[in-house]
Amino acid sequence: MSAQNKADYSFLGRTGLKVSNVCLGTNMFGISEVEPLAVFNSNPKRQNEVEAHKLLDRYIELGGNFLDTADVYGAGISQKIIGNWLKTKRRSDIIISSKVWFPMDWNTKNNIGLSRRHIINTCDETLERLQTNYIDLFQAHIWDNATPIEDTLRTFDDLVRCGKIRYYGFSNICGWQLQKIVDLSRHLNLHPCISLQQQYSLLSRESEVEAFMVCENERICVLPWSPLKGGLLTGKFKRNNIPDATGSRVGHMIARKASGESVSSDWEKFCDDEQYWNLIALMEKFAKAKGKTVAQVAIRWLLQKDIVASVIIGCSSIQQLEDNMGASSGWKLSEEEMQELDKASRTPYSYPYNMLLGTFSTSRMNRFNSSQK
Ligand SMILES: NC(=O)c1ccc[n+]([C@@H]2O[C@H](COP(=O)([O-])OP(=O)(O)OC[C@H]3O[C@@H](n4cnc5c(N)ncnc54)[C@H](OP(=O)(O)O)[C@@H]3O)[C@@H](O)[C@H]2O)c1
């Protein structure tokens, strides 16, 4: 994307707020010895404060206004890095989303989950690290089996009412959980959940059935995370060529797994998968024809899905940031290209979705029945 080609904006669901359609994920900010989610801790590509501030500055220059963080990213360091940067900017220009659930220390008894206590404590600590007095979007990082969902929803509602958060959303949940959240908040007359942050990409479409059906019906926007499946949707990996340990996150995870750590490696899942290599070949074809990159095609495919408000990217360098932001504006995939990518990346629907999404139900579309759309 040329420097003058600024990001496009879309509404953050029903909020009336406008966010850039590409959101900058900050999971890789901060190098910490005590990363609670140890999976990324030793990744050589984590950014220190100076590098992270350069990424943030360039993102804003390219028209972005939406940052995604969480207390656990870099064990609080990601939020501190953002806070130190934010205080040099006009707060009202930036939309910040954060999350709550995971502990900063796995030995904790209570600093975990979606209890009233943990949500409020995490909110206060997040505000302190970010050096601000409100979070735009506060999200439950995952469902909590130990806390009644009514307590969680009332707490989010209280935080909205007292102005510490503007909106709340959920992440990493399934369809029945989201529908329960919607129905309960309606029944209890609480502020509604406005967004679902979910893993979503050409290699991860599981949420299209159930969770996204609820999103469509209830007008909840989707914020996809890992749009490039950690780098696997960039076209930079070649068949029969095992990525090396230091060149990429993908290679880093392969090496950790090989050394006996119990981490998952997506490379192993896809390296011998014919469908994956055919998909990459198709993306390369479209990218070449349009003068774009494979990563841009992957992000653009998400941006053209109606339920998506903003795609959360992760970048190890300014070049990757510029590349990914180039998906935001000024071009489109054609309907035919979208359909071909849909087809090349789809896993067959199982029962009952093959019936529900088939001709029986689509022959009875009624635009006056809002539950269908
Ligand atoms: N809610 C949740 O549970 C959850 C979970 C995970 C992430 N997130 C959010 O989503 C954000 C993004 O997730 P993600 O980092 O997994 O996203 P991703 O886009 O799937 O992967 C990003 C990685 O791909 C590689 N890459 C990115 N752009 C590239 C390009 N143009 N060309 C070549 N390689 C490129 C980089 O790794 P290498 O350079 O190492 O190859 C980069 O670190 C996170 O920062 C976080 O904010 C949320």
Side-chain angles (χ1 to χ4, degrees):
M1 179 163 77
S2 60
Q4 62 273 23
N5 201 3
K6 297 265 186 172
D8 273 348
Y9 275 60
S10 51
F11 283 110
L12 181 61
R14 288 174 299 170
T15 61
L17 280 193
K18 284 246 169 154
V19 289
S20 49
N21 62 2
V22 176
C23 168
L24 183 60
T26 63
N27 194 356
M28 298 285 278
F29 286 4
I31 298 158
S32 155
E33 293 301 311
V34 288
E35 172 84 67
L37 298 178
V39 69
F40 290 130
N41 192 27
S42 57
N43 190 325
K45 293 209 167 178
R46 289 196 75 92
Q47 287 110 16
N48 64 28
E49 181 145 1
V50 174
E51 291 161 333
H53 284 185
K54 281 187 188 154
L55 271 179
L56 287 163
D57 285 339
R58 185 67 183 133
Y59 171 70
I60 299 297
E61 257 172 37
L62 293 169
N65 78 337
F66 190 17
L67 306 178
D68 179 66
T69 188
D71 51 350
V72 286
Y73 293 174
I77 298 179
S78 167
Q79 292 185 337
K80 284 187 185 159
I81 287 175
I82 296 171
N84 289 338
W85 173 85
L86 191 64
K87 69 181 179 202
T88 68
K89 304 285 172 276
R90 199 164 57 182
R91 171 67 184 90
S92 58
D93 288 346
I94 316 287
I95 306 292
I96 299 183
S97 76
S98 192
K99 312 183 197 78
V100 52
W101 193 103
F102 287 98
M104 303 295 259
D105 164 9
W106 281 104
N107 295 318
T108 186
K109 297 279 182 292
N110 284 313
N111 297 331
I112 182 169
L114 300 178
S115 67
R116 171 171 284 268
R117 183 180 188 273
H118 187 232
I119 292 176
I120 293 175
N121 286 357
T122 301
C123 180
D124 287 343
E125 287 159 10
T126 295
L127 291 174
E128 204 177 311
R129 287 189 212 101
L130 291 173
Q131 304 184 51
T132 183
N133 55 5
Y134 68 96
I135 302 165
D136 296 278
L137 174 62
F138 203 34
Q139 301 150 114
H141 216 143
I142 189 170
W143 186 262
D144 182 12
N145 284 316
T147 308
I149 186 66
E150 291 87 337
D151 281 17
T152 299
L153 294 176
R154 280 200 192 281
T155 308
F156 279 139
D157 186 70
D158 288 344
L159 288 173
V160 172
R161 283 174 204 274
C162 74
K164 288 189 179 183
I165 70 173
R166 296 292 187 253
Y167 303 94
Y168 74 89
F170 274 74
S171 182
N172 303 315
I173 57 171
C174 62
W176 73 262
Q177 294 168 333
L178 185 57
Q179 190 64 55
K180 191 161 184 171
I181 288 161
V182 169
D183 292 342
L184 265 175
S185 55
R186 199 172 280 150
H187 180 68
L188 299 171
N189 204 18
L190 305 175
H191 284 92
C193 163
I194 62 109
S195 59
L196 178 65
Q197 185 178 136
Q198 206 82 337
Q199 182 174 170
Y200 188 30
S201 73
L202 280 157
L203 289 178
S204 183
R205 298 181 56 189
E206 300 84 353
S207 294
E208 286 180 350
V209 289
E210 294 297 344
F212 292 174
M213 290 172 161
V214 179
C215 289
E216 265 188 49
N217 264 329
E218 301 292 348
R219 314 283 205 276
I220 291 170
C221 68
V222 172
L223 303 170
W225 62 260
S226 280
L228 303 178
K229 197 71 178 171
L232 285 170
L233 285 168
T234 60
K236 67 181 173 184
F237 301 113
K238 301 297 167 208
R239 202 167 193 170
N240 302 324
N241 219 336
I242 300 174
D244 75 82
T246 52
S248 66
R249 188 198 302 178
V250 169
H252 174 72
M253 298 311 278
I254 297 170
R256 285 180 63 176
K257 182 121 198 263
S259 73
E261 276 189 67
S262 71
V263 291
S264 65
S265 151
D266 283 327
W267 172 257
E268 283 180 14
K269 192 168 156 199
F270 293 109
C271 65
D272 289 323
D273 179 347
E274 217 51 52
Q275 189 182 5
Y276 167 66
W277 293 109
N278 289 340
L279 173 65
I280 295 293
L282 185 67
M283 294 169 80
E284 281 169 345
K285 186 177 104 179
F286 292 159
K288 196 166 171 215
K290 295 187 124 53
K292 300 291 168 190
T293 64
V294 173
Q296 289 171 346
V297 170
I299 296 170
R300 192 70 227 169
W301 176 81
L302 287 166
L303 288 172
Q304 288 179 220
K305 296 286 175 187
D306 281 347
I307 49 173
V308 169
S310 187
V311 173
I312 309 172
I313 57 165
C315 312
S316 309
S317 64
I318 298 275
Q319 289 90 320
Q320 289 183 0
L321 171 72
E322 289 172 349
D323 185 10
N324 298 346
M325 291 296 284
S328 173
S329 64
W331 67 287
K332 280 195 165 176
L333 290 162
S334 69
E335 268 196 24
E336 295 73 35
E337 288 165 336
M338 286 294 287
Q339 279 166 16
E340 277 196 64
L341 289 168
D342 281 348
K343 210 168 134 202
S345 59
R346 174 166 295 139
T347 43
Y349 291 129
S350 54
Y351 171 82
Y353 308 107
N354 54 351
M355 285 183 82
L356 283 170
L357 300 166
T359 45
F360 294 125
S361 66
T362 49
S363 67
R364 296 270 303 153
M365 296 309 281
N366 176 354
R367 70 188 169 87
F368 296 106
N369 179 5
S370 63
S371 75
Q372 283 182 342
K373 188 66 191 163

